[in-house]
Amino acid sequence: MITAKDIRRILLVSGWFMILTFPILGMRVDPLSDNIIWRLKNVMWVGIGTAVLQSLPHLWLLYLSIQAWGIRLWHHFRGTSPHKIVKKKAHRDSLINRVITNPRQRAIVCAVVLLLTIIYPQVVNEYQINIMIMALLYIMLGLGLNIVVGMAGLLDLGFVAFYAVGAYTYALLNLHYGINFWMALPLGGLFAAIFGLLLGFPILRLRGDYLAIVTLGFGEIIRVVLENWTELTNGVAGIVNIPGPTFLGLGLTPSQKILYLYYLMVLFVVLTIFVVNRLQDSRLGRAWLALREDEIACQAMGIDKRRTKLAAFSLGAFWAGIAGVVFAAQNRSVYPVSFSFLESAMILSIVVLGGMGSIVGVIFGALILILLPEYLRELSQYRMLFFGAILVLMMIFRPQGLISVVRRKYDIDSIKAEKKEGGA
Amino acid sequence: MDFDYQYFIELFASGLTKGSIYALIALGYTMVYGIVGLINFAHGEIYMIGAFVFFLASSLLTVLGLPLWAMICIATAASIFWAGGYGYTVEKIAYKPLRSAPRLSPLISAIGMSVFLQNYVMLGQTEKYLGFPEVIPEFDFLEPFATTFSSSDFVIWMTTVIVMLILTWIIKFTRTGKAMRATAQDRTMAELVGINVNRIISATFIIGSALAAVGGILISSHTGSIHYYIGFIAGIKAFTAAVLGGIGSIPGAVLGGLVLGMAESFATGYFSSAYEDVFAFSLLVLILIFRPAGLLGHAETEKV
């Protein structure tokens, strides 16, 4: 229920936000006449918005109390007791997690999804296919970052650097040596992985927050070098006329090329999912999880911290490198601008929104964050604002992400039941 | 080849200016880190917002026709007020709910806040560079040094020194300062002896933000332009400065800022100006590898 105190608080907070946003949103200097343009409507909307947001929990409580009152009334007229014995529900996982853990259901869902992805380009136009390729690319990047951040718990803010290394590997090798897409693909991944190792070595000892800053700095270094090393990278002008992927030496029409790239991307994503999935339950994957939870305990258990961390860095970088090669092939050009920190922040939002460590989560995260702004064109300028807000809100309200990861565990009851069956 | 003293001194002066600004921003990082153990990623954005508020306020006051000195005073006060307000609000929204969460959570939330504020200013104001008013007058008594440093350099040094002295006084002698030091040492104990820790944390954020705002005004009037992105690079560099000096240590932040400013100035002066940011980040990486505790910090041993 809303009391007078609550109302006062709501008004106070709304007033505070109106004061806070007053200069930035309410004023603007006209660059020509140096006059002030007042936009007080914006500030008013901020006030109303914060008031509404704050009253939402109160309205919810009001709804609940009305409901409870209604139930009591209902029982009163029927003469039954409102206090019925409620059986305690066993803890149940969410629907998606139940599907993931059940092998039969999982196989069916996977088959349906795969079928849909294969049919998809036949029913939509080229523009849509291109957007989907973009989304698939980000799924791959997200899965790569997921290894580093989600599984190994190393916050990498310069992930885009490896993506850039992959893209420039293809662009440069093609420009100077005429190397084709298929040759560049493993090379791009390899180079990125080497960069991952190079970055990984010096910063192995660093704790979480220092690591974040150093990786961020590394990402910026790569971008600045790409921008300024004009002799090699052609600077901000970028490298253009990069050929797309070839198919057995056959000439393809532009529309066929897009289709081809799409199926290629689907193949890569499926491959990535397969590998990451296998990694998760491998010795290495478990070591990552253990390292994330407690480094010291993990070392005491005999896990080589150095090797495990380096493996995470280089494997994550490898996927980013491959994604970079595909990016260069899709866009036919590379520019340093494409590899700014915001790109890293975007990939991180994908992982955080979906659920750190969860493969299905990352896929959903990428689809939501890439497709949504594409289809809501008028909202696309608010995209980064939205990403920033997602990072904050997810951490506060749902740190495990939309789809939390299911840890493999042994259920003591089922083991007992199995033993009984075996004994009988 | 003989040594060009004039050039050397010019670089030294510009390094001192840069270093002073880094030191002002780095203090905010180091104070917050000392007390809540968190890298306040949005600190650079507070610095940017401070500069924007000053820009807007000074434009408004100029339209109203106030004299220069009154305009500077009021606009600076407005800038400090709003920067402090943003710092306070950011802490309440993005960090306070996460105080007992795993280490990674507040960091991600801080990055989100930083991206959010950047785009908030970009959408609310403009994505173009804006000309910042030259608020620092030319002093006559600095005329003989005009070739080596400008009066805005001089004002930046003096302001930094004064701000440092005020800050030292606050931390050493006031009740709030004592409570801050106590909270930094041991939060639980501070709470037990009756310190309102939430209030102290808010105060830290407000003081840090105010320093950042002062830095933002000074550097913007020095360079003559503002942009929504200036906070990001300045923030990372100031963080580098804080780490360089030993994060959590206040004299360390100042020393780190000056060292970083000098290093950058000489490196760009003698090697290449295009790679300015690369020098700063490389320095950060090197420091973290060889002396993770920083110049004045002491190594922490983790207890199990």
Side-chain angles (χ1 to χ4, degrees):
Chain A
M1 291 303 241
I2 301 183
T3 59
K5 208 176 148 195
D6 289 329
I7 290 176
R8 210 176 61 208
R9 194 185 142 77
I10 288 175
L11 289 180
L12 219 66
V13 174
S14 300
W16 174 243
F17 271 93
M18 282 166 79
I19 294 174
L20 213 57
T21 51
F22 169 72
I24 302 287
L25 293 183
M27 290 160 76
R28 195 166 180 179
V29 176
D30 187 5
L32 295 175
S33 64
D34 279 341
N35 261 329
I36 303 281
I37 306 167
W38 294 98
R39 300 173 301 166
L40 295 177
K41 232 190 232 166
N42 286 344
V43 180
M44 194 188 74
W45 283 117
V46 168
I48 294 173
T50 28
V52 169
L53 272 181
Q54 285 179 87
S55 40
L56 282 181
H58 294 293
L59 290 177
W60 176 243
L61 281 182
L62 194 71
Y63 165 74
L64 285 185
S65 61
I66 290 172
Q67 196 187 31
W69 187 72
I71 289 171
R72 221 176 298 146
L73 214 64
W74 163 257
H75 283 292
H76 179 78
F77 283 120
R78 290 186 64 200
T80 47
S81 163
H83 306 286
K84 61 176 175 189
I85 301 149
V86 182
K87 243 193 199 171
K88 204 181 163 194
K89 260 194 213 162
H91 173 73
R92 266 158 58 123
D93 285 325
S94 65
L95 179 73
I96 291 172
N97 280 344
R98 263 179 288 147
V99 171
I100 296 169
T101 37
N102 184 331
R104 255 187 75 124
Q105 287 175 5
R106 185 174 56 190
I108 294 170
V109 171
C110 284
V112 170
V113 170
L114 201 63
L115 203 67
L116 283 178
T117 25
I118 290 171
I119 298 171
Y120 184 78
Q122 312 297 337
V123 289
V124 297
N125 59 19
E126 265 174 35
Y127 175 71
Q128 308 284 348
I129 300 175
N130 259 328
I131 292 174
M132 207 52 179
I133 293 176
M134 210 60 201
L136 288 168
L137 203 66
Y138 276 97
I139 291 179
M140 227 165 115
L141 283 170
L143 287 171
L145 186 63
N146 192 28
I147 295 177
V148 188
V149 178
M151 293 190 201
L154 306 162
L155 185 54
D156 185 349
L157 295 180
F159 196 64
V160 79
F162 306 124
Y163 185 41
V165 168
Y168 268 89
T169 303
Y170 178 38
L172 289 172
L173 285 181
N174 183 271
L175 189 70
H176 295 297
Y177 304 105
I179 279 179
N180 69 15
F181 177 78
W182 288 105
M183 295 260 285
L185 205 59
L187 282 176
L190 212 63
F191 270 118
I194 291 171
F195 267 82
L197 282 180
L198 279 180
L199 172 68
F201 262 120
I203 60 176
L204 279 174
R205 296 191 304 170
L206 302 181
R207 273 205 330 252
D209 24 17
Y210 285 111
L211 185 95
I213 293 279
V214 172
T215 47
L216 174 72
F218 179 73
E220 284 295 302
I221 288 178
I222 294 276
R223 192 180 58 81
V224 173
V225 169
L226 287 178
E227 257 173 30
N228 289 303
W229 196 355
T230 324
E231 302 88 71
L232 182 72
T233 63
N234 201 17
V236 277
I239 298 171
V240 289
N241 284 332
I242 301 169
T246 49
F247 180 60
L248 300 173
L250 296 173
L252 297 172
T253 61
S255 64
Q256 278 174 322
K257 267 186 183 160
I258 292 174
L259 212 61
Y260 177 53
L261 203 62
Y262 174 82
Y263 284 120
L264 218 58
M265 239 6 256
V266 171
L267 191 73
F268 285 148
V269 168
V270 170
L271 197 73
T272 314
I273 293 172
F274 176 75
V275 171
V276 174
N277 196 23
R278 297 295 296 171
L279 267 175
Q280 216 164 28
D281 292 327
S282 71
R283 194 189 165 84
L284 191 60
R286 302 241 162 171
W288 284 335
L289 293 186
L291 206 63
R292 180 183 73 187
E293 301 301 336
D294 192 329
E295 247 177 46
I296 294 171
C298 184
Q299 277 177 299
M301 298 294 288
I303 290 169
D304 188 346
K305 184 174 127 188
R306 184 185 272 271
R307 260 182 45 192
T308 317
K309 276 192 180 178
L310 282 181
F313 257 112
S314 48
L315 270 172
F318 182 78
W319 292 119
I322 288 186
V325 174
V326 177
F327 174 77
Q330 190 209 355
N331 282 16
R332 302 302 189 74
S333 53
V334 285
Y335 305 98
V337 196
S338 318
F339 308 107
S340 68
F341 166 69
L342 290 180
E343 203 74 8
S344 287
M346 195 151 103
I347 305 168
L348 184 68
S349 320
I350 288 172
V351 176
V352 169
L353 178 71
M356 283 189 265
S358 152
I359 296 174
V360 186
V362 170
I363 296 171
F364 272 97
L367 291 178
I368 292 170
L369 288 188
I370 303 302
L371 297 186
L372 217 58
E374 287 296 339
Y375 291 120
L376 303 171
R377 267 282 162 207
E378 57 275 33
L379 293 183
S380 68
Q381 58 166 331
Y382 298 103
R383 205 171 55 158
M384 289 316 293
L385 196 76
F386 180 63
F387 287 170
I390 279 182
L391 287 178
V392 178
L393 294 177
M394 290 305 282
M395 281 301 114
I396 295 171
F397 295 112
R398 211 180 149 80
Q400 73 273 36
L402 287 180
I403 296 157
S404 55
V405 62
V406 230
R407 292 283 285 273
R408 277 215 174 175
K409 57 193 172 213
Y410 289 106
D411 192 359
I412 199 97
D413 291 330
S414 66
I415 293 172
K416 270 184 191 161
E418 246 170 55
K419 260 198 182 159
K420 250 186 205 164
E421 267 171 33
Chain B
M1 202 179 93
D2 58 341
F3 191 71
D4 187 352
Y5 277 106
Q6 179 63 30
Y7 188 52
F8 180 83
I9 291 170
E10 264 171 41
L11 289 179
F12 187 84
S14 88
L16 208 57
T17 306
K18 263 187 197 165
S20 307
I21 301 292
Y22 290 152
L24 279 177
I25 313 172
L27 280 169
Y29 275 112
T30 217
M31 281 165 63
V32 166
Y33 194 91
I35 287 181
V36 278
L38 156 89
I39 297 175
N40 179 12
F41 230 91
H43 194 61
E45 267 54 59
I46 303 284
Y47 151 93
M48 178 265 296
I49 286 175
F52 263 96
V53 171
F54 184 90
F55 169 72
L56 290 168
S58 64
S59 307
L60 176 65
L61 295 171
T62 317
V63 171
L64 294 179
L66 259 70
L68 186 72
W69 61 269
M71 183 200 93
I72 291 176
C73 288
I74 298 173
T76 308
S79 164
I80 287 176
F81 171 77
W82 264 286
Y86 274 95
Y88 171 82
T89 314
V90 164
E91 196 267 332
K92 284 279 181 269
I93 292 177
Y95 307 144
K96 198 174 165 221
L98 296 172
R99 246 177 236 167
S100 53
R103 273 192 95 87
L104 224 53
S105 306
L107 195 59
I108 292 176
S109 161
I111 293 159
M113 209 62 200
S114 161
V115 172
F116 181 86
L117 286 177
Q118 253 176 45
N119 286 276
Y120 158 75
V121 173
M122 185 194 86
L123 294 169
Q125 292 291 315
T126 171
E127 49 192 323
K128 296 192 189 80
Y129 278 88
L130 289 172
F132 200 80
E134 268 186 48
V135 289
I136 300 169
E138 293 291 326
F139 295 116
D140 293 335
F141 66 91
L142 289 175
E143 196 58 48
F145 308 104
T147 48
T148 39
F149 61 88
S150 64
S151 56
S152 74
D153 284 314
F154 181 75
V155 170
I156 288 176
W157 305 337
M158 287 302 118
T159 317
T160 309
V161 170
I162 294 168
V163 167
M164 298 292 165
L165 289 177
I166 297 174
L167 184 70
T168 316
W169 175 74
I170 291 177
I171 286 174
K172 279 252 157 75
F173 299 111
T174 62
R175 270 182 80 86
T176 315
K178 278 180 190 159
M180 271 179 184
R181 280 183 289 150
T183 314
Q185 259 180 18
D186 191 328
R187 199 193 300 170
T188 323
M189 263 323 277
E191 232 164 357
L192 282 175
V193 296
I195 291 169
N196 186 347
V197 171
N198 280 335
R199 240 198 58 210
I200 292 303
I201 291 175
S202 294
T204 312
F205 270 85
I206 292 172
I207 294 175
S209 305
L211 295 177
V214 172
I217 297 167
L218 290 173
I219 197 71
S220 306
S221 72
H222 185 64
T223 57
S225 70
I226 46 171
H227 186 231
Y228 74 91
Y229 204 61
I230 53 169
F232 180 69
I233 291 291
I236 302 172
K237 284 191 185 160
F239 176 77
T240 308
V243 172
L244 197 62
I247 197 152
S249 143
I250 285 175
V254 179
L255 181 70
L258 291 177
V259 170
L260 182 71
M262 293 288 174
E264 235 179 48
S265 177
F266 284 117
T268 50
Y270 287 116
F271 299 110
S272 154
S273 61
Y275 292 103
E276 188 185 340
D277 298 346
V278 174
F279 293 127
F281 295 134
S282 313
L283 194 65
L284 174 68
V285 175
L286 288 178
I287 290 285
L288 285 174
I289 295 165
F290 293 109
R291 203 174 154 74
L295 296 173
L296 296 185
H298 37 80
E300 243 176 88
T301 42
E302 198 176 337
K303 279 174 243 164
V304 186

